[in-house]
Amino acid sequence: MPKTLYNILVPVDFTAKNKWAISKAIELANTFHCNVHLVHVSSGSLMPLLPLDMSMLMPSYDAADMTNARKKLENLRDIYSNHICGGGKLEISLLKGNPSQQLADYIQKFEMDLVVVGLARFNLLHRVLSTVSISRLARKTNVPVLTIRSSGLVSHFKKIVLPLTDNLPLHRIKLATMLARSFKSTVYLVSLRDEQKEQNAANGIMDTALEVIQSLSTIPVQCFLLEGKNLAKSTLEFSKRINADLIMANPLKEFHMPGWWNRITRKLLSYGSRIPVITDSRNNNETISAS
C-alpha cells in the first residue's frame, strides 16, 4: 500500500481555474510533505491563426510567447512558494509541444503520484475543447487525476465515496485508504442494487472491498446499496446527500453521466460533480472480483 505522495503535478494555463488547483495541491503537499510541480505546455496554437506572410515576418513570436510564459510561471512560484511547509518544494517547468503528450512524458519521467486539474465554473465545452483530457491523461499515465472546482476547496477530505463496479482495482482501495488514514476520514463504499437478481453481486464485491480495507487500516467504513440505473448519477446524488468531500471514480462507461448529450460527449462524473473527483484508471493489473 502506498504510504504517501511524493510529487504532485498541476498543469497551468494561467487562467482562474489554476488557482483552486494549486491551492488544493499545496494543501495535499503540506499534509504529505511532498513536492508540487507547476507545468505549462506551450503548444504554439496561436501561430496557425496568423496569415502565412505575417508569420514569416514574425520569427520571434514563439520565443516571445515562451518568455512571457516563463515570467508567469516564475510569478506563480513567487506567490505560492511560501505556502508550502514541511519539507516540500514548488517546482516550475515550461515545456513545448503537444500538451497531452508533453504532460504524459513529464509525469512518467519525474514519477508523479497525482495530477490536480482545475475545472472552470462553467464548463459546458471544457471537456470538448480542453487540450488536456482528464480520462485520457489518467489512462495514458496510470496516475490518478484529481479535478477541483472553486466550490471544491474543502479543508480536508473527511468523507470519501468509493463507488464499486463488478471489478474493483486494488489501487483505488489503497489510495482511498491512504487518504482516509491521513485525513482521519470515513470511506463510504457504494454500489447499485440489482433488483432482478436474488443474490446481488454488489454485496459480494462490497464485502470483499471491506475486508481489504480492514486488512490495511482501522479507518471507519460504511457500506450502502444505492437505487437507480446509472452508477455515476446515483453516486453523485448520494455524495451530495451526505456532504461528501471526495469521490473516487474510474473513466469507464459506468461513470458516465446519463442523458443523450452526455453520451455524445462522454461526460464523466468528473465534469458533472461540484465535489472533487479522483479519476483513477488503474484497472488492468490487480483486481478483485465478487465470487
Side-chain angles (χ1 to χ4, degrees):
M1 172 179 168
K3 295 182 178 180
T4 188
L5 301 175
Y6 296 99
N7 292 290
I8 300 174
L9 181 144
V10 181
V12 296
D13 58 4
F14 311 118
T15 58
K17 63 181 180 291
N18 295 158
K19 295 178 181 179
W20 37 89
I22 295 173
S23 296
K24 175 55 67 176
I26 289 176
E27 177 198 315
L28 291 169
N30 290 339
T31 298
F32 294 99
H33 310 293
C34 63
N35 303 315
V36 174
H37 299 244
L38 305 183
V39 180
H40 174 73
V41 182
S42 178
S43 61
S45 57
L46 294 179
M47 184 64 79
L49 300 180
L50 296 173
L52 179 60
D53 55 346
M54 187 175 180
S55 62
M56 293 176 64
L57 296 174
M58 299 179 64
S60 61
Y61 173 83
D62 198 47
D65 185 54
M66 294 290 282
T67 300
N68 186 44
R70 169 64 66 178
K71 290 180 179 178
K72 290 181 178 180
L73 275 174
E74 291 173 348
N75 185 51
L76 287 176
R77 181 184 60 193
D78 294 341
I79 293 173
Y80 289 104
S81 287
N82 293 333
H83 295 194
I84 293 186
C85 57
K89 296 180 180 179
L90 185 66
E91 308 281 354
I92 60 172
S93 293
L94 177 60
L95 309 176
K96 182 178 178 182
N98 178 274
S100 180
Q101 185 60 50
Q102 289 295 319
L103 286 174
D105 291 345
Y106 189 96
I107 289 168
Q108 299 291 348
K109 181 178 180 180
F110 295 101
E111 299 181 341
M112 297 295 109
D113 301 298
L114 180 69
V115 178
V116 183
V117 176
L119 292 181
R121 288 188 176 91
F122 305 101
N123 69 325
L124 180 62
L125 296 178
H126 179 95
R127 60 187 178 276
V128 178
L129 301 178
S130 176
T131 56
V132 179
S133 165
I134 294 169
S135 58
R136 189 181 306 119
L137 188 63
R139 287 195 301 265
K140 192 171 186 177
T141 63
N142 272 333
V143 172
V145 179
L146 169 63
T147 51
I148 293 288
R149 296 180 188 272
S150 58
S151 58
L153 287 178
V154 295
S155 57
H156 294 294
F157 297 137
K158 289 298 184 182
K159 296 180 179 179
I160 300 174
V161 176
L162 181 57
L164 310 179
T165 59
D166 292 339
N167 293 292
L168 178 68
L170 283 176
H171 293 291
R172 201 145 38 101
I173 295 180
K174 292 177 179 179
L175 180 58
T177 303
M178 180 193 72
L179 293 173
R181 190 170 60 184
S182 298
F183 290 113
K184 297 179 173 59
S185 314
T186 299
V187 171
Y188 294 80
L189 301 177
V190 301
S191 190
L192 288 181
R193 184 191 305 275
D194 191 344
E195 300 291 352
Q196 297 179 351
K197 296 182 179 180
E198 293 183 5
Q199 185 174 4
N200 199 325
N203 286 325
I205 194 71
M206 193 172 288
D207 290 344
T208 308
L210 178 60
E211 290 175 3
V212 173
I213 293 176
Q214 290 176 338
S215 71
L216 296 172
S217 178
T218 57
I219 61 170
V221 183
Q222 295 188 32
C223 302
F224 293 88
L225 287 178
L226 308 180
E227 305 296 335
K229 297 181 179 180
N230 181 276
L231 180 58
K233 180 182 179 182
S234 296
T235 296
L236 187 54
E237 290 173 348
F238 173 83
S239 300
K240 290 178 180 177
R241 194 160 61 246
I242 68 167
N243 294 317
D245 303 308
L246 180 66
I247 302 171
M248 304 193 66
N250 189 304
L252 298 171
K253 63 180 181 180
E254 288 88 353
F255 295 95
H256 290 175
M257 297 300 290
W260 68 271
W261 172 249
N262 294 333
R263 286 196 296 269
I264 292 174
T265 59
R266 300 184 68 187
K267 182 179 181 181
L268 290 171
L269 177 60
S270 309
Y271 296 108
S273 173
R274 294 194 174 277
I275 300 168
V277 176
I278 286 183
T279 300
D280 190 348
S281 68
R282 295 174 296 176
N283 63 338
N284 56 342
N285 292 321
E286 295 179 293
T287 60
I288 54 178
S289 302
S291 56

